[in-house]
Amino acid sequence: MSPHRIESLARAALPEMTDDLRMLVEHETPSDDKELLNAGLAAVEAWAYERLGPPDEARRHDGGPHGDMLELLYRGTSPATVLVLCHYDTVWPAGTLAKWPFHVAEDGRASGPGVFDMKSGLMQAVWALRLLRELDLPRPAVRLFLNGDEEIGSPASRPYVERLSEDTVATLVCEAAAGPEGALKTARKGGGIFELTVDGVESHAGLDPERGASAVHALAELVPRIVALGSPELGTTVNVGVIGGGTARNVVAGQAHCGIDVRIAVPAEADRIDTALAALRPTDTRVRATLTGGWNRPPMVPGPASELLFKQAQTIAADLGWTARETSVGGASDGNFVAALGRPVLDGLGGVGDGAHARHEHVLLAHIPARTALIAGLLMACATR
C-alpha cells in the first residue's frame, strides 16, 4: 500500500492528533523535576495504551534521580525489530506553561514548551504505528523507548539505548526535523561538558597585592587559550559559556571557574581536546588549575547502513510528493550513542518547525500527516529486511 493512504488517514485524524499533542505539552516534564516527570510518564503510558492497545511487553526502568524510562514492545508481522527513540523530558522549568500555554495560531503553528523538542515527534511515532496496525500493514516489531533524561545527556538511559539497539534492523529517532524544509539528521556533532576550576592565593588588593595570586587573572589568561582550541575546518567548536569567581573587589581572588562546551564532528578530535585541556597551566605557578567533566556524547557519523536508511526515506518522501533532504547539526541526541556503535540510525523524523529551547518554539501542523506517513513507511520498509 502506498504511503499516500497513510498520509490521507493522518490528515483526516489531524484534529485528534493535535489534541494528543496538546495533552503531551500540557503535562510539564522538566528534566530536573522527578515528580513532574513521573506524572508525565504516567500520562504518556496511559495515552499509548489508549492509542495502541496493551503492549506485548512493557518495562519501566528506574532513572534514579532522573526521569524513569518506559519500554513498550508491539510485535509486528515480521521477525525484524525496530527501536524507536523518543524523550519526554524538556528543558523548560516547572511553571512555564502558566505563562506560555499550548496555542494553535491561525497559520497552523502550534506553540508551547516542548512542542517541537520533542513531543510532536513522540505523538507522530505513536500515530504511525497506530495507522499501520489499523490497516494491518506489514510492520516489524516496534520497541518504543521513552526516556526522561535526554536533555541533560541521558546519564541513566544511555546503557538502555545502547543495549536495545543491538538486535534491531534500525533505530529511528523522532527528534525534531531541521530547518523549514524538515531535513533529516544523518550526522550530529558529539559534545563534551567540562568545568575548569582555578585556585589562587587570596590577599588584600591594597595592602598586600604581591602576596596574592589571582585566580580571576589566571582564568582570564586561560580562556583565550581554551577558545583557541576550536577548529572550524574540522567542525570543532569550543565555547566558554559560564564564568565566575572572586569574593570582593579589594581581594586578590582565591578561586575562579568556568564552564566549557565542546562540540566535535570528527571522533579523533576528542583526544586532541582532552590532551590540550589537561595541559592548561597558568603562567603564575602559585595558581592551580583543575579540570573536571568529560564527553557526553560521541559524534554521530553515518555508516553504510544508516545511509541506506536515508535513501529509503528519500524514496518514501518522493512517493509522498516531497524531497527528503539530509543535514548535519551541532546538537546531539540519543542517536549519537547508536551511531557510535556502528548501527543503522536515522534522526530528525519528528515535527517540522523551529525554536528548540527558545520561546518561539513551534511546530507546523500541516506537516504532521506527511511526517507520520514517513515514519510509517520506514517501519514498513524495515519489516522486509
Side-chain angles (χ1 to χ4, degrees):
M1 177 180 290
S2 167
H4 279 288
R5 175 60 176 154
I6 299 172
E7 181 184 18
S8 177
L9 290 175
R11 197 166 299 282
L14 186 56
E16 192 175 1
M17 297 171 79
T18 303
D19 286 343
D20 286 354
L21 182 57
R22 177 190 297 274
M23 181 276 297
L24 293 172
V25 172
E26 290 182 346
H27 279 87
E28 289 188 297
T29 48
S31 304
D32 62 353
D33 193 315
K34 181 76 171 183
E35 184 176 347
L36 286 176
L37 288 167
N38 282 340
L41 185 56
V44 170
E45 183 173 18
W47 165 71
Y49 279 46
E50 181 181 342
R51 290 286 173 256
L52 299 173
D56 295 292
E57 295 177 15
R59 297 185 181 92
R60 182 161 174 160
H61 306 288
D62 185 6
H66 309 299
D68 289 353
M69 296 140 275
L70 181 63
E71 179 188 340
L72 303 177
L73 176 69
Y74 288 89
R75 294 198 177 94
T77 61
S78 82
T81 300
V82 171
L83 177 63
V84 177
L85 296 180
C86 300
H87 68 85
Y88 64 92
D89 64 319
T90 76
V91 299
W92 299 102
T96 301
L97 195 66
K99 296 181 179 179
W100 182 22
F102 181 86
H103 174 71
V104 177
E106 291 184 3
D107 63 359
R109 293 184 178 214
S111 64
V115 69
F116 182 58
D117 185 14
M118 63 162 288
K119 294 187 176 181
S120 55
L122 169 56
M123 182 273 293
Q124 289 170 187
V126 168
W127 271 88
L129 181 55
R130 174 186 171 128
L131 294 175
L132 286 176
R133 287 161 61 89
E134 280 186 358
L135 296 169
D136 196 23
L137 293 173
R139 60 194 181 278
V142 173
R143 192 176 298 277
L144 182 64
F145 184 76
L146 311 173
N147 64 320
D149 62 349
E150 193 276 342
E151 294 291 5
I152 55 173
S154 304
S157 58
R158 176 177 181 172
Y160 294 93
V161 170
E162 293 177 333
R163 176 176 59 80
L164 294 175
S165 66
E166 182 176 1
D167 296 321
T168 61
V169 297
T171 295
L172 304 182
V173 186
C174 294
E175 288 275 9
E181 295 180 335
L184 301 177
K185 299 169 182 177
T186 54
R188 286 180 177 268
K189 290 185 180 182
I193 301 172
F194 301 88
E195 183 85 10
L196 185 68
T197 302
V198 180
D199 292 294
V201 180
E202 286 188 341
S203 69
H204 193 293
L207 297 177
D208 293 306
E210 295 83 6
R211 294 184 64 180
S214 174
V216 167
H217 295 180
L219 184 59
E221 170 198 347
L222 294 176
V223 166
R225 289 158 56 184
I226 295 169
V227 175
L229 295 175
S231 177
E233 66 275 11
L234 293 177
T236 300
T237 61
V238 180
N239 180 63
V240 177
V242 178
I243 193 166
T247 55
R249 293 184 188 180
N250 62 349
V251 177
V252 175
Q255 199 271 341
H257 64 274
C258 69
I260 308 165
D261 178 281
V262 184
R263 307 291 170 123
I264 59 172
V266 179
E269 279 287 86
D271 290 337
R272 182 182 72 84
I273 295 293
D274 279 340
T275 300
L277 290 178
L280 288 171
R281 298 289 185 275
T283 302
D284 191 329
T285 57
R286 295 175 296 169
V287 180
R288 183 177 75 256
T290 304
L291 183 73
T292 56
W295 295 98
N296 175 256
R297 288 187 174 97
M300 177 175 155
V301 180
S306 294
E307 291 170 353
L308 176 60
L309 257 182
F310 173 68
K311 289 178 181 178
Q312 289 177 321
Q314 281 185 307
T315 300
I316 296 164
D319 193 22
L320 291 168
W322 54 283
T323 301
R325 305 188 187 281
E326 63 178 323
T327 191
S328 174
V329 296
S333 82
D334 289 330
N336 289 55
F337 301 135
V338 179
L341 295 170
R343 297 165 186 167
V345 59
L346 185 59
D347 203 338
L349 291 163
V352 177
D354 194 14
H357 301 190
R359 282 282 177 172
H360 65 282
E361 180 175 7
H362 67 271
V363 292
L364 304 174
L365 296 180
H367 288 268
I368 285 177
R371 303 297 289 197
T372 302
L374 175 62
I375 297 170
L378 284 167
L379 291 174
M380 289 178 64
C382 289
T384 60
R385 289 193 182 186

